[in-house]
Amino acid sequence: HPLPEIPEQLLDYLNDSIGLTTIEALETRVRKRYFDFHEEFYLDWAQNSIQNVLRLFHAEYFPLTTQTEPDIIRRVYTFIDTIFDDNHSLDVRTGEMESSASSDRRNLLRQPDERKKHGHKSDMLFISFKGEVGCTEVGKEDAGDNGTKEENELGLKLPKMLKDQMWKLVHLFPENRFNLVIVGLVMMGLKLRAVILDNPSTYVCCVNKTKPYFFPTTVETIASDLGMLLGVTSQVKQLICSTVKIIKTPKPITSSDYETTTNNPNYYFHALCHPNLKKQQKIYTVFCV
């Protein structure tokens, strides 16, 4: 699934701020007019996001020092939460949330006398009424692309969680499996990457990553750096909402039958998630470039 284009209205609005290099000029620009939440949601969201960032610069919030991961989500990346304010079929939950899809997959072969295993926890979960459609992982600092935490989050933990979420949705909506898209975000300090997972073939999941985007650290780069972050966030939202739209579409009523795939972890993704495999063997994912 390619990334959708940035909505044209939003793209024009963000580009209009390029070249503004002072807080006063940016504040004058964003306060120039009022946008209606219902009629011009993307513009209203971008306007409020820019104002929140300008507030951080007034408060001299940067550089990051002893902030915790929840602090970073709450103050720096608030625009990721608020972009879904107009979608009432999706909830965004933060704070080490356990993935129910991950828990379901890990307990597929659990015996009655065994303790239930917990699912992986995420810093932010995107939840629809019939399943999870994305998650995020946050780190307090950016140790570079080869940092241990970033490599683990990007290369192992996040793809596993995305695959668990895809597995759960495919189990519920097998007729739409090739149209479903799951999205993850990895934020390391002030650096953000988007990770897109889809299921283009029967036993293959494909993972695509965006290049890194950076939160502005100087007033001069607010328009360009924040504009890129807001743009890619709007693209990610469109992918997530496309999956939500698919799973909320009413199914035609048909005759029921017995379930034939109970407790078979290999039914949808062959040998991908069998709990007896070693950690290094659990992910068979095509990383697309």
Side-chain angles (χ1 to χ4, degrees):
H1 285 78
L3 278 175
E5 295 293 325
I6 300 173
E8 185 175 355
Q9 252 190 336
L10 175 61
L11 189 61
D12 292 340
Y13 180 76
L14 295 175
N15 279 322
D16 281 346
S17 298
I18 297 297
L20 302 180
T21 57
T22 65
I23 290 182
E24 292 75 16
L26 288 165
E27 287 179 329
T28 300
R29 176 71 182 85
V30 297
R31 294 172 179 173
K32 191 174 182 179
R33 60 161 293 194
Y34 165 80
F35 296 109
D36 183 80
F37 178 90
H38 299 286
E39 300 297 328
E40 303 167 299
F41 174 76
Y42 277 115
L43 301 183
D44 174 72
W45 164 75
Q47 182 182 58
N48 282 283
S49 299
I50 295 171
Q51 287 179 319
N52 288 335
V53 171
L54 293 176
R55 187 181 185 88
L56 293 179
F57 277 87
H58 276 303
E60 298 183 359
Y61 195 77
F62 305 107
L64 298 178
T65 52
T66 60
Q67 286 90 341
T68 63
E69 293 175 3
D71 290 333
I72 294 173
I73 296 174
R74 180 174 55 88
R75 297 300 304 274
V76 177
Y77 292 108
T78 182
F79 57 86
I80 295 174
D81 187 340
T82 56
I83 196 172
F84 296 101
D85 284 349
D86 67 330
N87 191 317
H88 306 305
S89 300
L90 184 74
D91 292 323
V92 182
R93 296 291 178 259
T94 61
E96 286 294 312
M97 296 290 295
E98 181 177 331
S99 168
S100 62
S102 175
S103 176
D104 288 346
R105 192 269 303 167
R106 297 188 71 190
N107 288 284
L108 274 174
L109 302 181
R110 183 172 72 96
Q111 300 300 315
D113 59 340
E114 294 179 340
R115 293 176 63 90
K116 183 179 179 180
K117 299 175 182 177
H118 288 286
H120 293 297
K121 292 184 178 181
S122 174
D123 295 303
M124 184 184 294
L125 275 179
F126 304 113
I127 307 171
S128 183
F129 64 104
K130 288 187 179 179
E132 299 164 0
V133 293
C135 59
T136 71
E137 289 298 326
V138 180
K140 292 188 293 185
E141 60 181 2
D142 176 18
D145 292 347
N146 297 318
T148 301
K149 182 174 177 62
E150 184 167 347
E151 285 193 338
N152 287 337
E153 306 285 21
L154 273 175
L156 185 62
K157 183 178 179 181
L158 192 75
K160 285 176 67 175
M161 289 189 65
L162 297 179
K163 189 170 294 178
D164 289 342
Q165 293 171 343
M166 175 65 81
W167 168 82
K168 185 68 174 181
L169 289 181
V170 168
H171 181 77
L172 295 173
F173 306 96
E175 68 279 5
N176 297 119
R177 63 179 303 165
F178 300 126
N179 297 319
L180 298 171
V181 186
I182 306 294
V183 177
L185 297 170
V186 175
M187 291 95 83
M188 291 291 141
L190 300 179
K191 180 172 69 177
L192 178 145
R193 287 180 188 265
V195 181
I196 316 299
L197 182 142
D198 58 12
N199 179 214
S201 183
T202 308
Y203 296 127
V204 175
C205 286
C206 182
V207 172
N208 285 284
K209 304 174 187 175
T210 68
K211 65 182 181 181
Y213 297 95
F214 294 89
F215 197 90
T217 55
T218 64
V219 174
E220 291 77 15
T221 60
I222 290 178
S224 56
D225 287 353
L226 181 62
M228 288 300 301
L229 282 173
L230 297 182
V232 75
T233 304
S234 72
Q235 294 174 279
V236 164
K237 177 197 176 175
Q238 293 177 69
L239 286 178
I240 292 176
C241 289
S242 70
T243 296
V244 172
K245 182 178 179 180
I246 289 173
I247 64 180
K248 69 180 290 189
T249 301
K251 293 182 179 181
I253 298 173
T254 59
S255 298
S256 297
D257 201 352
Y258 297 119
E259 187 176 32
T260 58
T261 62
T262 305
N263 290 342
N264 184 355
N266 299 328
Y267 182 72
Y268 290 116
F269 299 132
H270 179 65
L272 288 177
C273 303
H274 196 291
N276 292 329
L277 293 179
K278 294 180 180 179
K279 181 179 291 187
Q280 295 88 334
Q281 297 173 313
K282 285 185 180 180
I283 297 294
Y284 294 101
T285 303
V286 176
F287 286 85
C288 303
V289 294

